[in-house]
Each structure stands twice: as structure tokens, then as C-alpha cells.
Amino acid sequence: QICLSLVKLLFYLAHSPLGSIVLLDFQPRQFVMVDGNLKVTDMDDASTEELSCKEDNDCTLDFPMKSFPLKCSVVGKCEGINEKKNLFNAYRYFFTYLLPHSAPPPLRPFLSDILNATGDLRYGINETLKAFEKVLHLYKSGLYLQKRPLLLKDYISLKGFRTVEGEDYKCWPSYSHLGCLLSVHGAEEAAAICNSQSQCQSFTVTQQRTWTGRPLALFQSSLTGLITDANAVVYIKRSASLGERL
């Protein structure tokens, strides 16, 4: 969410009515999340000036560990230098820390491609935004889910009940510090996740939703604290002893 919101912001800055805007003091502390959108807190160090040049050799974009040769345009400006500077700083300060493990395994190669392409400045901001939107579409639609045997048949469904969230086994990246609360596309994906965790004996797809509209599923090692809820369903592994659990 943070990276996509940042890319949308940089897309606006690259195509602003004032021209391409560069953030000269590009640091994480310069940004804040407001209602799920990343915003710049200080525009004092923003500039629309692009580096003047006479030849391509005048257009090297230098960073501490990397340099990029750019083209000198016919009007004597280094082509896209503001956009590329913003994008590489996004890669340095945000993408490298947030992207590698922030998606289900089938989507990680797509994020790795974005990471590599922005790290080498092979992508401009237009291509980067398009790549992020593709990943978001796959994530929200569930199209990333690989065809596999249906696993929900290995579970008993207990309709009209839900479990109370309490301290239980931990998993990553959980939405709760008390236990294992993960985003899923639906009950079938939740069953696959539960099967992959040795501690998991049951799960509930909750009414909570993430910013993408996906539900959160609570995975638990026991069925303590069952309460009635007409809209809920608890899924219990058939291999678990139902008598003992209830």
C-alpha cells in the first residue's frame, strides 16, 4: 500500500502542471500516511528545475553507490532527470525494504521484477505504476492463486460460530500481535495457509477487510472462546479431534 501510494504520488509529480518536480530532500521522514495515501509533508525542497547540458556527458545522475548516464535533449536539458531521481530514491528508501516479502509467494517474482527494474532505472514512472497496478489486480482478483487440489474438503465447517481473537501462535506478516491474522482471497486460500502451518488446527474468515477489500482470516491452534455469530463460519481440520476441541 505504501509503495503503490508513493508511485502514484511520483507519477503526479512527474506530470504536474508545473512540469516534472523533483524532491531534493527525499527521506522517509518527509512522508506521512493520511487516510491510506502517502503525502509529502514539506515541499520547501521541491524543484521544477532540470539540469542544463550541452552533451550527454553532462547528464550523469549520481548516487552514493550507483551512477546513471542520461541523454541531453535538443533543448539542453537532461531528459527525465527529475523523474528518475525521485524513482531511484523511492527504490533506495522504500522498495528495497518493503517489497521483497510483502506479498503471497506467487506474486513475489512480479515485485522482484519491479525492484530490479527501478534499481537499474530500466523503468520510468509510467512503467512502474503500470507494473504495480498489474500486481494489485492479480492480488485483489485472486488470479495469482495457482490451480491446486481443493483443500477445504479437509475441514469441517461450523456455521453460526466464530472464535474470539486471543493470544495464540504467531505468524508473519500478521495483522495482529496476539496471533496469526492474515489477508486471504477466501476460505480456500485460508485452508492452504492453515495446511502449511503445523500449529494451525482451525481458522475463521472474519468480517474485517484490508485496504484492498480482502478479508482477514484468523488462524488458531485451538478452539477456545467460541461464540455465536450468525454470519460466521469456523473451519476445523478433520484431522483434529473435534470432541476434544469443542
Side-chain angles (χ1 to χ4, degrees), residues 3-232:
C3 291
L4 175 62
S5 188
L6 175 59
V7 169
K8 288 180 177 179
L9 173 61
L10 298 187
F11 179 85
Y12 172 78
L13 293 179
H15 302 286
S16 84
L18 300 175
S20 183
I21 298 174
V22 63
L23 301 176
L24 298 174
D25 185 20
F26 197 115
Q27 299 284 341
R29 65 173 180 269
Q30 298 288 82
F31 300 89
V32 64
M33 289 291 284
V34 179
D35 296 328
N37 295 304
L38 204 67
K39 296 185 181 294
V40 185
T41 59
D42 184 2
M43 292 293 288
D44 289 346
D45 294 309
S47 173
T48 58
E49 291 295 319
E50 292 196 305
L51 187 64
S52 298
C53 58
K54 293 182 179 178
E55 57 184 26
D56 290 350
N57 287 339
D58 298 329
C59 292
T60 301
L61 183 56
D62 289 316
F63 291 95
M65 302 295 290
K66 236 171 185 179
S67 295
F68 300 96
L70 304 180
K71 296 289 185 181
C72 183
S73 71
V74 292
V75 295
K77 298 290 183 180
C78 296
E79 287 185 357
I81 191 167
N82 287 352
E83 172 188 329
K84 292 180 184 296
K85 189 171 185 179
N86 283 341
L87 189 55
F88 190 76
N89 277 326
Y91 161 81
R92 290 170 68 197
Y93 293 113
F94 288 89
F95 297 173
T96 53
Y97 299 104
L98 300 178
L99 286 186
H101 308 292
S102 60
L107 288 178
R108 289 178 191 169
F110 294 97
L111 295 182
S112 181
D113 287 345
I114 293 173
L115 196 63
N116 292 333
T118 53
D120 295 334
L121 285 184
R122 287 185 284 109
Y123 279 1
I125 192 62
N126 294 359
E127 295 87 351
T128 303
L129 179 58
K130 185 181 292 185
F132 266 102
E133 288 178 337
K134 177 183 177 180
V135 176
L136 180 63
H137 171 67
L138 293 173
Y139 184 62
K140 291 174 70 173
S141 65
L143 290 173
Y144 68 90
L145 294 169
Q146 299 169 334
K147 290 184 178 180
R148 63 180 76 186
L150 297 178
L151 300 174
L152 208 54
K153 59 180 175 51
D154 298 329
Y155 289 77
I156 297 168
S157 61
L158 194 61
K159 297 180 180 179
F161 291 91
R162 64 178 173 87
T163 54
V164 178
E165 184 181 352
E167 191 161 350
D168 206 320
Y169 76 92
K170 310 295 192 296
C171 67
W172 190 91
S174 177
Y175 282 78
S176 169
H177 67 280
L178 293 175
C180 188
L181 186 67
L182 300 175
S183 166
V184 296
H185 182 255
E188 190 60 51
E189 184 181 14
I193 293 172
C194 189
N195 275 18
S196 70
Q197 299 174 343
S198 60
Q199 306 100 312
C200 183
Q201 295 297 325
S202 67
F203 67 86
T204 305
V205 180
T206 73
Q207 301 297 310
Q208 295 174 265
R209 293 290 186 272
T210 69
W211 66 281
T212 60
R214 286 163 53 101
L216 293 178
L218 178 62
F219 300 88
Q220 295 182 302
S221 60
S222 64
L223 278 176
T224 55
L226 274 178
I227 58 175
T228 58
D229 185 334
N231 299 315

